[in-house]
Amino acid sequence: MHKIIYITILLILCSHSSIAQFGPQQIITQTANGTQIICAADIDGDGFKDVLSANKFGSNLTWYKNLNGNFGSENTIAILDQTTWISSADIDNDGDIDVLAVSSPQNRVAWYENLDGNGTFSSLRNIDGGVDGASCVIGADLDNDGDLDAISADDFGNTIAWYENLNGQGNFSSKKIIDNTIGSPRFVMTADIDGDGDMDVLGNGTGTSKAYWIENMNGLGSFGTRHTINNAGAYLNVVIPADADGDGDMDAFSASPFDKEVAWYENLDGFGNFGPKNTIINTLVNAWTVYTADLDNDGDIDVLATSVETFGGEIVWFENLDGQGNYSAKKIISTEVQSPRSVIAADIDNDGDMDVIASSQNDDKIAWYENMTIIGIEENEIASFTIYPNPVKDFLNIESSAGVTIKTTILYDALGRELFKKENEASHLSFGN
């Protein structure tokens, strides 16, 4: 015998979204004296990301201890004439973070050893003192031997070169030319562009090589032909790798001050054949730099950038709306800056999301902005649906309007007692014995 049940069906339709919002400016220092480039790394091994800065004047290479979001006073790493670059890497394989830097007036590429793992640094360790206009240096393993080599860009010498870390302890070889026919390369990065497991090189320049990559042919640091990513428009100040469209290969991002543009280029096949430019914005005044990170914790790559003006500017970000490289309009993080030359992302307060750190040259300021990312529950929708028959004897049918997904169905009798709960979509329920 079948029961006849009078029912109420409760349909709960909800979706979750991550929302990145940034807090007010928190000052790290206002005495950086012409700050150019910043990076973040745990210098003293306490589990917090400290901040390092290259300053054009005064104490040229400095670091600031992260005291759980509050920062200590300036620690001088070295005085290096008009340095414009700093990067961090474990050069001597001792488990702590050392520092790489360049000086254009001295034509020098150098590194400084973290002597005790607490941020006490050695005197200058020379890599090359004969570089023609050194502008950039980073650490990467180009020969797959397990230690970090050094790669530099020489603005006046039109050269990208690398130096082999011969013993894994920071004794470097003489210069190895990767390409010396590039007009004014000022920026270099490494990534596996062609998916063969070794580090290739990306860079910028003038002429027909605004953005390019150079293949590591054998995984041992023998480099092949330069491949053009972009050859149109004005000079690109920065070219960096990241996976914009979530397909597992490295695309490229660029910033162009004269074109007021931030853009990305798709790696079409995972082998380094790039598609046309995808413009993110072309109205960002003096778009100086670009940086990528997952800022809203949704699993895809968002974009940070800066707009540079002598006594102003902006720090902005662009949300990857669909995980496939379709970006939002600009979202302003701060305008309390004067000529912001550098912006990066790192988890400063160890809360699991990426905060933003930026430096501005003309007010000697380095500051950070807390990522206030929250998990939002969008408003429940009152959907159009039909339930029949009611009362029900054997089978219950649920029909919903187009585009509506039923997440949970809960069945109550006329007295309000829950009879059962069913997760996921269901349109035909059986109640017969």
Side-chain angles (χ1 to χ4, degrees), residues 68-122:
N68 195 16
N70 296 308
F71 283 82
S73 57
E74 177 181 287
N75 298 287
T76 299
I77 298 169
I79 308 298
L80 187 63
D81 188 18
Q82 294 189 41
T83 187
T84 55
W85 190 270
I86 190 170
S87 60
S88 58
D90 183 4
I91 296 298
D92 52 1
N93 273 338
D94 63 353
D96 57 39
I97 299 298
D98 309 303
V99 165
L100 291 150
V102 299
S103 169
S104 183
Q106 291 184 12
N107 295 319
R108 188 177 302 283
V109 177
W111 75 284
Y112 299 85
E113 182 185 355
N114 190 339
L115 295 171
D116 54 6
N118 293 318
T120 302
F121 286 89
S122 70

Side-chain angles (χ1 to χ4, degrees), residues 59-333:
S59 297
N60 297 108
L61 300 171
T62 55
W63 74 279
Y64 304 85
K65 180 177 175 60
N66 184 352
L67 303 165
N68 195 16
N70 296 308
F71 283 82
S73 57
E74 177 181 287
N75 298 287
T76 299
I77 298 169
I79 308 298
L80 187 63
D81 188 18
Q82 294 189 41
T83 187
T84 55
W85 190 270
I86 190 170
S87 60
S88 58
D90 183 4
I91 296 298
D92 52 1
N93 273 338
D94 63 353
D96 57 39
I97 299 298
D98 309 303
V99 165
L100 291 150
V102 299
S103 169
S104 183
Q106 291 184 12
N107 295 319
R108 188 177 302 283
V109 177
W111 75 284
Y112 299 85
E113 182 185 355
N114 190 339
L115 295 171
D116 54 6
N118 293 318
T120 302
F121 286 89
S122 70
S123 57
L124 182 146
R125 306 271 171 97
N126 190 61
I127 297 175
D128 191 348
V131 179
D132 193 3
S135 54
C136 176
V137 62
I138 61 170
D141 186 4
L142 294 184
D143 52 2
N144 277 331
D145 63 353
D147 56 40
L148 296 182
D149 310 300
I151 309 99
S152 70
D154 309 345
D155 187 5
F156 304 147
N158 301 320
T159 297
I160 300 290
W162 74 286
Y163 307 84
E164 183 183 354
N165 193 337
L166 296 171
N167 60 357
Q169 298 178 26
N171 293 307
F172 286 91
S173 71
S174 58
K175 179 186 300 183
K176 300 185 178 189
I177 302 295
I178 296 174
D179 193 314
N180 59 1
T181 63
I182 304 165
S184 298
R186 296 175 187 167
F187 193 87
V188 65
M189 291 289 285
T190 61
D192 184 5
I193 296 298
D194 53 1
D196 64 354
D198 56 40
M199 288 292 105
D200 309 301
V201 167
L202 293 89
N204 66 347
T206 56
T208 59
S209 291
K210 301 294 191 303
Y212 54 86
W213 72 281
I214 306 170
E215 183 182 354
N216 191 336
M217 301 298 294
N218 58 1
L220 302 175
S222 296
F223 287 88
T225 304
R226 184 171 73 236
H227 302 274
T228 297
I229 297 173
N230 178 62
N231 60 5
Y235 186 84
L236 304 177
N237 205 40
V238 173
V239 179
I240 62 171
D243 184 3
D245 52 3
D247 63 354
D249 56 40
M250 287 290 105
D251 309 302
F253 289 79
S254 67
S256 174
F258 298 111
D259 286 336
K260 304 178 183 179
E261 187 173 76
V262 177
W264 74 279
Y265 312 83
E266 183 182 356
N267 189 339
L268 296 171
D269 54 6
F271 298 122
N273 293 302
F274 283 85
K277 177 171 60 182
N278 298 287
T279 300
I280 297 173
I281 190 171
N282 58 9
T283 58
L284 190 65
V285 176
N286 289 326
W288 193 263
T289 191
V290 62
Y291 192 92
T292 59
D294 182 5
L295 297 175
D296 53 2
N297 276 354
D298 63 353
D300 56 38
I301 295 296
D302 308 302
V303 171
L304 282 162
T306 66
S307 167
V308 166
E309 299 179 57
T310 303
F311 298 108
E314 294 177 323
I315 301 163
V316 301
W317 76 284
F318 305 88
E319 181 186 355
N320 193 335
L321 296 172
D322 56 3
Q324 297 179 28
N326 291 304
Y327 285 90
S328 70
K330 78 174 180 181
K331 302 182 181 187
I332 296 175
I333 297 173

